[in-house]
Amino acid sequence: MERSARPGHTRFGSPVLSTDDRRKSSAASPGLARVFFALTMIGLGVLGLIYGDVALVWQRIPIEHLPGRQLLAYACAVIELITGMGLLFRGTARITAAVLAVYLLFWLLLKVPAVVVMPQLEATWLGFGEIAVIFAGGWTLHASLADSGRRKGLGCITGKTGIRCARVVFALSLPMIGLSHFFYSEQTVAFVPAWLPFRLAWVYLTGAGSIAASMAILLGVVPRLAATLEATMLSIITLLVWGPGVIATPTDRTQWTALTISFAIAGGAWLVASSYRATARFGVGAYITNPSTG
């Protein structure tokens, strides 16, 4: 006789849509992913206050001569700094996560015009995908901290549904990053440390890794492992590519900005990875319950 599905288990569907996401409130004790993400936001805020500008290409405003541009840059830096600090404390984590999610959505929407105008240019999709990963992390954090039962109508952006939607955004953004390794392999290989052998092979391998992680999450093939491996890969790439530049030229703004933004992308991936309580066996629809990593 077929057993009925137990709580935390399901027989059909993809975990990105059907995983049991019941979680105790994480506001009391911030997990490592949340602390890591908060520190990257603080870093971006500090850079913005020092240089009086947004973070170069990552936050480039698509208006050539915007009145009050520097004032806006300082405002963004203050938001990043305050929300980053707010995520570290129990009493402010929930509200600052909500503010940060809206703030990141704002920057993601600023990338839409470039994608619409030049959809054939992969570089525009790359920029969109990188911010989408950060936004997915911020959305995951907000959804996990917010009490979706307090206000009607917020169920689609908070709680279990919000987390699942954020995972979809994360998974769909990864091919935009991975494909850039193939479209711009010559430029990308220049970032690979010279001491590594088979540098072009590493470019293709990491690009394929992001695409594979996307498919694994969407199809429900060990999605937790896929998200964790993607976050690990992004962290290692950040250290190997931008770490040496910061050490060699510690006064170079570009190196510090690139390092911090790259860590923010990795931080978004870590937040998504830490949202999983269950992971699928190899095959769609079969799950085993695991402790939360977040």
Side-chain angles (χ1 to χ4, degrees):
M1 181 180 295
E2 186 179 13
R3 293 182 299 173
S4 60
R6 294 176 293 166
H9 294 70
T10 183
R11 285 181 295 234
F12 304 101
S14 170
V16 76
L17 300 176
S18 307
T19 300
D20 177 11
D21 296 303
R22 289 172 299 176
R23 301 174 61 86
K24 296 179 180 179
S25 174
S26 58
S29 55
L32 290 177
R34 187 168 121 199
V35 172
F36 181 70
F37 192 70
L39 292 177
T40 63
M41 290 298 109
I42 293 173
L44 286 174
V46 170
L47 288 172
L49 291 175
I50 291 175
Y51 296 106
D53 197 3
V54 291
L56 297 180
V57 176
W58 180 72
Q59 292 180 340
R60 184 172 61 83
I61 300 173
I63 301 175
E64 196 66 29
H65 301 289
L66 179 68
R69 185 185 185 92
Q70 190 171 42
L71 182 61
L72 177 61
Y74 281 124
C76 291
V78 170
I79 292 173
E80 291 163 350
L81 183 61
I82 292 178
T83 55
M85 294 176 64
L87 292 178
L88 299 175
F89 300 97
R90 176 180 180 179
T92 56
R94 185 174 287 108
I95 183 63
T96 51
V99 172
L100 183 58
V102 174
Y103 173 76
L104 293 173
L105 177 60
F106 166 76
W107 282 109
L108 182 62
L109 293 177
L110 284 180
K111 288 292 183 180
V112 173
V115 172
V116 173
V117 173
M118 296 181 290
Q120 74 282 1
L121 185 62
E122 209 286 329
T124 61
W125 290 100
L126 170 61
F128 183 89
E130 289 177 336
I131 300 184
V133 171
I134 304 174
F135 168 67
W139 187 2
T140 299
L141 184 59
H142 166 56
S144 65
L145 292 176
D147 185 354
S148 59
R150 288 184 175 181
R151 297 182 182 180
K152 294 181 179 180
L154 293 180
C156 61
I157 60 175
T158 60
K160 293 184 291 183
T161 302
I163 292 174
R164 293 165 187 161
C165 291
R167 290 174 184 170
V168 172
V169 172
F170 174 70
L172 293 178
S173 66
L174 294 182
M176 304 178 195
I177 298 174
L179 286 174
S180 69
H181 290 215
F182 295 92
F183 278 82
Y184 307 112
S185 57
E186 183 177 346
Q187 294 89 331
T188 306
V189 77
F191 291 105
V192 180
W195 52 267
L196 275 176
F198 311 111
R199 296 166 69 195
L200 184 59
W202 284 110
V203 170
Y204 291 145
L205 180 63
T206 51
S210 291
I211 297 172
S214 170
M215 297 300 296
I217 294 170
L218 291 175
L219 297 178
V221 181
V222 289
R224 180 184 180 183
L225 177 62
T228 301
L229 289 177
E230 177 68 19
T232 301
M233 183 180 73
L234 291 173
S235 300
I236 294 174
I237 289 174
T238 300
L239 290 172
L240 291 181
V241 172
W242 303 113
V246 169
I247 295 174
T249 55
T251 59
D252 188 344
R253 171 201 177 182
T254 303
Q255 296 295 331
W256 278 106
T257 300
L259 177 75
T260 308
I261 291 172
S262 189
F263 267 137
I265 298 170
W270 278 117
L271 284 171
V272 174
S274 69
S275 72
Y276 284 95
R277 283 179 60 86
T279 190
R281 295 193 191 112
F282 199 85
V284 175
Y287 308 142
I288 54 176
T289 302
N290 285 331
S292 171
T293 60

